[in-house]
Amino acid sequence: MTSRRQILGALGATPVIATLGSAGAHASAAAPAQAPAAGESRVRPASIIAISAEDTPEQIIAKAANVVPRKGQLAWQRREITAFTHFGMNTFTNREWGSGAEDEATFSPTAVDADQWIRTYKAMGAELAMITAKHHDGFTLFPSRYTPHSILKSPGQPNVVRRYVEAARAHQLRVGIYLSPSDGSELPHAWHATWIASLRKKQAEGGTLTSVELTALADGDRAPGGLGRFGNGSAVKEHTIPTLVEGDDRADDVRSGKLPTFTVHVNDYDAYYLNLVYELFTEYGPLDEFWLDGANPWADAGITQEYRFDAWFRVISGLSPDTVVFGGPTGIRWVGNESGIGRETEWSVVPTTADPWTYHGEWLLPHGPTAADIGSRARLTEPGVTHLSWFPAEADVSNRPGWFHHPGQQPKTADQLFDLYEKSVGRNTTLLLNVPPSKAGTIDAEDVAELTAFGQRVRKVYGGPVARNADGTTTFDRVAVREDIEYGQRVEEFAVEAEIDGVWGRIATGTTIGHQRILPLAAPVTASRVRVRVLASRAEPRLGRITLHRATG
């Protein structure tokens, strides 16, 4: 906690910080960084800072106060809303998780109106659009050189990824891609046949089948559509990425150095995954977000792929250092639920139990990604912490009950979405809102209507403050407080006070701020001045604007 109190005075204007302390009072546009204690060297700001065994709790907190976002992370968090597009084989099989043995001809959209998708996303306020180029079933929505299980065997061979990125860029949206590490199409064929036989026996004997088993059994007369590389026990060996294939149209560019190459030591499946990564970044980039998780749905059946996240992260960074990678170093993390809701205390600075470059970040959080407390002082200073990392949260949620479109399901209303906006973007996270197109290749009209109304309401309420200066009185029911996160996240506790009829009184309190903290008030307040009092901070805070808004009346 700092030894001084910071009071901000503003009504929708850039705040001025009045610092009161033993040395007297002065005002400046931003508070200076906290000076190091006697005998303590100044911490150099970085996105990842190592912790040593000799660090005292005070030194660890000083390091945490100087963990800052990288360029890509900063731009990502300022975008606030990302559209997610789950469209693929599951859209046509009416599933959420596929088997990987589906007939490629099943994917047969009569249209792929990517322009309509992007217009809808822009209307709802998204600035970045991200598509599932490959889900857990392994079917790719682009023509890859490395798998037979793709749109090249589908009617019309629609390159959905190409249409998507071109539509997004035509409407000035940034682009992201989700490439699932899991891949049912790459299950080893002999193992799969034995597994299907055991499932049939289990079913005949009256056993209870899991959803994964039921899906596999439904497609059991077909072998997986890939080449059997997932969890096949292949040896780790040297691979060159990209691995050129016969007649590869990139050969000259690779030889000349126009296209980069990477030497990695991985097994067959990791090499396959990295070749897909390479195709997506070099042929559909630039990519602002790359989404990958750690799903291993066949582990209970005896097939597990140990993903080489360290090799993946190095290749991705080499291809595009400013891309934020879900779970990656200098990337972003899952908020811990699929409800689109951030924590009341949401830290972007978190502890990890190993170097973030070595493994998927979700597994490096001391108490996991769903813990109620991710980044408090207690978490930062507990045994086992080796690094502090800028690792902001992304709150993911689907506009419908499922991630893929299913007939008969209803979308969320504009009111529900507005509430989620305040509980995600308003709690120092970004909102990742999935809006799935139907078999027809379009987003349903009822989704479009609610999403458009949601975007209009956000723009009406938060597009501008209700007051831009301190003249007269203003009525409001929302207060938005911000830190200048370019310098990190430092505030641990604050209060909002308003001057009403000449008397100052507290109207709201909060813990963390970060990029933005929205505080809905119990009832509208009419005040002549508003200030924020920082009650606890890890170092001298750097605050952004205070803005006042009205959502009711």
Side-chain angles (χ1 to χ4, degrees), residues 88-131:
M89 188 63 75
N90 290 341
T91 309
F92 294 83
T93 59
N94 202 28
R95 294 171 174 167
E96 285 289 295
W97 288 48
S99 70
E102 297 91 345
D103 185 344
E104 294 84 3
T106 302
F107 182 77
S108 55
T110 54
V112 178
D113 194 348
D115 194 75
Q116 186 248 9
W117 306 353
I118 299 299
R119 290 198 311 270
T120 301
Y121 301 154
K122 193 160 188 177
M124 78 184 194
E127 296 181 73
L128 189 152
M130 182 162 58
I131 188 168

Coordinates of all heavy atoms in Angstrom, one line a residue, residues 88-131:
G88 N -18.6 -25.3 -38.9 CA -17.8 -26.4 -39.4 C -18.6 -27.7 -39.5 O -19.9 -27.6 -39.7
M89 N -18.0 -28.8 -39.4 CA -18.6 -30.1 -39.5 C -19.8 -30.2 -38.5 O -20.8 -30.8 -38.8 CB -17.6 -31.2 -39.4 CG -18.2 -32.6 -39.7 SD -18.7 -32.8 -41.4 CE -17.1 -33.0 -42.2
N90 N -19.6 -29.8 -37.3 CA -20.6 -29.9 -36.3 C -21.9 -29.1 -36.6 O -22.9 -29.5 -36.1 CB -20.0 -29.4 -34.9 CG -19.0 -30.3 -34.3 OD1 -18.8 -31.4 -34.7 ND2 -18.2 -29.7 -33.4
T91 N -21.7 -28.1 -37.4 CA -22.9 -27.4 -37.8 C -23.9 -28.3 -38.6 O -25.1 -28.1 -38.6 CB -22.5 -26.1 -38.7 OG1 -21.5 -25.4 -38.0 CG2 -23.7 -25.3 -39.0
F92 N -23.3 -29.2 -39.3 CA -24.1 -30.1 -40.2 C -24.4 -31.4 -39.6 O -25.3 -32.1 -40.1 CB -23.3 -30.3 -41.6 CG -23.2 -29.0 -42.3 CD1 -22.2 -28.0 -42.0 CD2 -24.1 -28.7 -43.3 CE1 -22.2 -26.8 -42.7 CE2 -24.1 -27.5 -44.0 CZ -23.1 -26.5 -43.7
T93 N -23.7 -31.8 -38.5 CA -24.1 -33.0 -37.8 C -24.9 -32.8 -36.6 O -25.3 -33.7 -35.9 CB -22.8 -33.8 -37.4 OG1 -22.0 -32.9 -36.6 CG2 -22.0 -34.2 -38.7
N94 N -25.1 -31.5 -36.3 CA -25.9 -31.1 -35.1 C -25.2 -31.5 -33.8 O -25.8 -32.0 -32.9 CB -27.3 -31.6 -35.2 CG -28.3 -30.8 -34.3 OD1 -28.0 -29.6 -34.0 ND2 -29.3 -31.4 -33.8
R95 N -23.9 -31.4 -33.8 CA -23.1 -31.8 -32.6 C -22.3 -30.6 -32.1 O -22.2 -29.6 -32.7 CB -22.1 -32.9 -33.0 CG -22.7 -34.2 -33.4 CD -21.6 -35.1 -34.0 NE -22.1 -36.5 -34.3 CZ -21.4 -37.4 -35.0 NH1 -20.3 -37.1 -35.5 NH2 -22.0 -38.5 -35.2
E96 N -21.7 -30.8 -30.9 CA -20.8 -29.9 -30.3 C -19.4 -30.3 -30.5 O -18.5 -29.6 -30.7 CB -21.1 -29.6 -28.9 CG -22.4 -28.7 -28.6 CD -22.1 -27.3 -29.0 OE1 -21.3 -26.6 -28.3 OE2 -22.8 -26.8 -29.9
W97 N -19.2 -31.6 -30.3 CA -17.8 -32.2 -30.5 C -18.0 -33.4 -31.5 O -18.8 -34.3 -31.4 CB -17.3 -32.9 -29.2 CG -16.9 -31.9 -28.1 CD1 -17.6 -30.8 -27.7 CD2 -15.7 -31.9 -27.4 NE1 -16.9 -30.1 -26.7 CE2 -15.7 -30.8 -26.5 CE3 -14.6 -32.7 -27.3 CZ2 -14.7 -30.5 -25.6 CZ3 -13.6 -32.5 -26.5 CH2 -13.6 -31.3 -25.6
G98 N -17.2 -33.3 -32.5 CA -17.2 -34.3 -33.6 C -16.3 -35.5 -33.3 O -15.5 -35.5 -32.4
S99 N -16.4 -36.5 -34.2 CA -15.6 -37.7 -34.0 C -14.3 -37.7 -34.8 O -13.3 -38.3 -34.4 CB -16.4 -38.9 -34.4 OG -16.6 -38.9 -35.8
G100 N -14.3 -37.0 -36.0 CA -13.1 -37.0 -36.9 C -13.3 -38.1 -37.9 O -12.5 -38.2 -38.8
A101 N -14.4 -38.9 -37.9 CA -14.6 -39.9 -38.9 C -15.8 -39.5 -39.8 O -16.3 -40.4 -40.5 CB -14.9 -41.2 -38.2
E102 N -16.3 -38.3 -39.7 CA -17.4 -37.8 -40.5 C -17.0 -37.8 -42.0 O -15.9 -37.6 -42.4 CB -17.9 -36.4 -40.1 CG -18.4 -36.3 -38.7 CD -17.3 -36.0 -37.6 OE1 -16.1 -36.1 -38.0 OE2 -17.7 -35.6 -36.5
D103 N -18.0 -38.1 -42.8 CA -17.8 -38.0 -44.3 C -17.6 -36.5 -44.6 O -18.5 -35.6 -44.3 CB -19.1 -38.5 -45.0 CG -18.9 -38.6 -46.5 OD1 -18.0 -37.9 -47.0 OD2 -19.7 -39.3 -47.1
E104 N -16.6 -36.2 -45.3 CA -16.3 -34.8 -45.7 C -17.4 -34.1 -46.5 O -17.7 -32.9 -46.4 CB -15.0 -34.6 -46.4 CG -13.7 -35.0 -45.7 CD -13.4 -36.5 -45.6 OE1 -14.2 -37.3 -46.3 OE2 -12.4 -36.9 -45.0
A105 N -18.2 -35.0 -47.2 CA -19.3 -34.4 -48.0 C -20.4 -33.9 -47.1 O -21.3 -33.2 -47.6 CB -19.8 -35.5 -49.0
T106 N -20.4 -34.3 -45.9 CA -21.5 -33.8 -45.0 C -21.4 -32.3 -44.8 O -22.5 -31.7 -44.6 CB -21.3 -34.5 -43.6 OG1 -21.4 -35.9 -43.7 CG2 -22.4 -34.1 -42.6
F107 N -20.2 -31.8 -44.9 CA -20.1 -30.3 -44.8 C -20.5 -29.7 -46.2 O -19.7 -29.8 -47.1 CB -18.7 -29.9 -44.5 CG -18.5 -28.4 -44.4 CD1 -18.9 -27.8 -43.2 CD2 -17.9 -27.7 -45.4 CE1 -18.7 -26.4 -43.1 CE2 -17.7 -26.4 -45.3 CZ -18.1 -25.7 -44.2
S108 N -21.7 -29.2 -46.3 CA -22.2 -28.9 -47.6 C -23.1 -27.6 -47.5 O -24.3 -27.7 -47.8 CB -23.0 -30.0 -48.2 OG -24.1 -30.4 -47.3
P109 N -22.5 -26.5 -47.1 CA -23.3 -25.2 -47.0 C -23.8 -24.8 -48.4 O -23.0 -24.9 -49.4 CB -22.3 -24.2 -46.4 CG -21.0 -24.7 -46.8 CD -21.1 -26.2 -46.8
T110 N -25.0 -24.4 -48.5 CA -25.5 -23.8 -49.8 C -25.0 -22.5 -50.0 O -25.0 -22.0 -51.2 CB -27.1 -23.8 -49.7 OG1 -27.5 -23.0 -48.6 CG2 -27.7 -25.2 -49.6
A111 N -24.5 -21.8 -49.0 CA -23.8 -20.5 -49.1 C -22.9 -20.3 -47.9 O -23.1 -21.0 -46.9 CB -24.9 -19.4 -49.2
V112 N -21.9 -19.5 -48.1 CA -21.1 -19.0 -47.0 C -21.0 -17.5 -47.0 O -20.1 -16.9 -47.7 CB -19.6 -19.6 -47.1 CG1 -18.8 -19.1 -45.9 CG2 -19.7 -21.2 -47.0
D113 N -22.0 -16.9 -46.4 CA -22.2 -15.4 -46.5 C -21.3 -14.8 -45.4 O -21.8 -14.2 -44.5 CB -23.6 -15.0 -46.4 CG -23.9 -13.6 -46.8 OD1 -22.9 -12.9 -47.0 OD2 -25.0 -13.2 -47.0
A114 N -20.0 -14.9 -45.6 CA -19.1 -14.3 -44.6 C -19.3 -12.8 -44.4 O -19.1 -12.3 -43.3 CB -17.6 -14.6 -45.0
D115 N -19.7 -12.1 -45.5 CA -19.9 -10.7 -45.4 C -21.1 -10.4 -44.4 O -21.0 -9.4 -43.7 CB -20.2 -10.1 -46.8 CG -20.1 -8.6 -46.8 OD1 -19.0 -8.1 -46.8 OD2 -21.2 -8.0 -46.8
Q116 N -22.1 -11.2 -44.5 CA -23.2 -11.0 -43.6 C -22.8 -11.3 -42.1 O -23.2 -10.6 -41.2 CB -24.4 -11.9 -43.9 CG -25.7 -11.7 -43.1 CD -26.0 -12.8 -42.2 OE1 -25.2 -13.8 -42.0 NE2 -27.2 -12.8 -41.6
W117 N -21.9 -12.3 -41.9 CA -21.4 -12.5 -40.6 C -20.7 -11.3 -40.0 O -20.9 -10.9 -38.9 CB -20.4 -13.7 -40.6 CG -21.0 -15.0 -41.2 CD1 -22.2 -15.3 -41.6 CD2 -20.2 -16.2 -41.4 NE1 -22.3 -16.5 -42.1 CE2 -21.0 -17.1 -42.0 CE3 -18.8 -16.5 -41.2 CZ2 -20.6 -18.4 -42.4 CZ3 -18.4 -17.8 -41.6 CH2 -19.3 -18.7 -42.2
I118 N -19.8 -10.8 -40.8 CA -18.9 -9.7 -40.4 C -19.8 -8.4 -40.2 O -19.5 -7.7 -39.2 CB -17.8 -9.4 -41.4 CG1 -16.9 -10.7 -41.5 CG2 -17.0 -8.2 -41.0 CD1 -16.2 -11.1 -40.2
R119 N -20.8 -8.2 -41.0 CA -21.6 -7.0 -40.8 C -22.3 -7.1 -39.5 O -22.5 -6.1 -38.8 CB -22.7 -6.9 -42.0 CG -22.1 -6.5 -43.3 CD -23.2 -6.0 -44.3 NE -24.3 -6.9 -44.3 CZ -24.5 -7.9 -45.2 NH1 -23.5 -8.2 -46.0 NH2 -25.6 -8.6 -45.2
T120 N -22.8 -8.3 -39.2 CA -23.4 -8.5 -37.9 C -22.5 -8.3 -36.7 O -22.8 -7.6 -35.7 CB -24.0 -10.0 -37.8 OG1 -24.9 -10.2 -38.9 CG2 -24.7 -10.2 -36.5
Y121 N -21.2 -8.8 -36.8 CA -20.3 -8.6 -35.8 C -19.9 -7.1 -35.6 O -19.8 -6.6 -34.5 CB -19.0 -9.4 -36.1 CG -19.2 -10.9 -36.3 CD1 -18.3 -11.6 -37.0 CD2 -20.3 -11.5 -35.6 CE1 -18.5 -13.0 -37.2 CE2 -20.4 -12.9 -35.8 CZ -19.6 -13.6 -36.6 OH -19.7 -15.0 -36.7
K122 N -19.8 -6.4 -36.7 CA -19.5 -5.0 -36.6 C -20.7 -4.2 -35.9 O -20.5 -3.3 -35.1 CB -19.2 -4.4 -38.0 CG -18.6 -3.0 -37.9 CD -17.9 -2.7 -39.2 CE -17.1 -1.4 -39.0 NZ -16.3 -1.0 -40.2
A123 N -21.9 -4.6 -36.3 CA -23.1 -4.0 -35.7 C -23.1 -4.2 -34.2 O -23.6 -3.4 -33.4 CB -24.3 -4.5 -36.3
M124 N -22.6 -5.4 -33.7 CA -22.6 -5.6 -32.2 C -21.5 -5.0 -31.5 O -21.4 -5.0 -30.3 CB -22.7 -7.1 -32.0 CG -21.3 -7.8 -32.1 SD -21.5 -9.6 -31.8 CE -19.8 -10.1 -31.6
G125 N -20.5 -4.4 -32.3 CA -19.4 -3.7 -31.6 C -18.1 -4.4 -31.6 O -17.1 -3.9 -31.0
A126 N -18.0 -5.5 -32.3 CA -16.7 -6.2 -32.4 C -15.7 -5.5 -33.2 O -16.0 -4.9 -34.2 CB -16.9 -7.6 -32.9
E127 N -14.5 -5.5 -32.8 CA -13.4 -5.0 -33.6 C -12.4 -6.1 -34.1 O -11.5 -5.8 -34.9 CB -12.6 -3.9 -32.8 CG -13.4 -2.7 -32.4 CD -12.6 -1.7 -31.6 OE1 -11.8 -1.1 -32.2 OE2 -12.9 -1.6 -30.4
L128 N -12.6 -7.3 -33.7 CA -11.8 -8.4 -34.1 C -12.8 -9.6 -34.3 O -13.7 -9.8 -33.5 CB -10.8 -8.7 -33.0 CG -9.7 -9.8 -33.4 CD1 -8.4 -9.5 -32.6 CD2 -10.1 -11.2 -33.1
A129 N -12.6 -10.4 -35.3 CA -13.4 -11.5 -35.6 C -12.5 -12.8 -35.7 O -11.5 -12.7 -36.4 CB -14.2 -11.3 -36.9
M130 N -12.9 -13.8 -35.0 CA -12.1 -15.1 -35.0 C -12.9 -16.3 -35.4 O -14.0 -16.5 -34.9 CB -11.5 -15.2 -33.6 CG -10.6 -16.4 -33.4 SD -9.6 -16.3 -31.9 CE -10.8 -16.1 -30.6
I131 N -12.3 -17.1 -36.3 CA -13.0 -18.3 -36.8 C -12.3 -19.5 -36.4 O -11.1 -19.6 -36.2 CB -13.1 -18.2 -38.3 CG1 -14.0 -19.3 -38.8 CG2 -11.8 -18.2 -39.0 CD1 -14.5 -19.2 -40.3

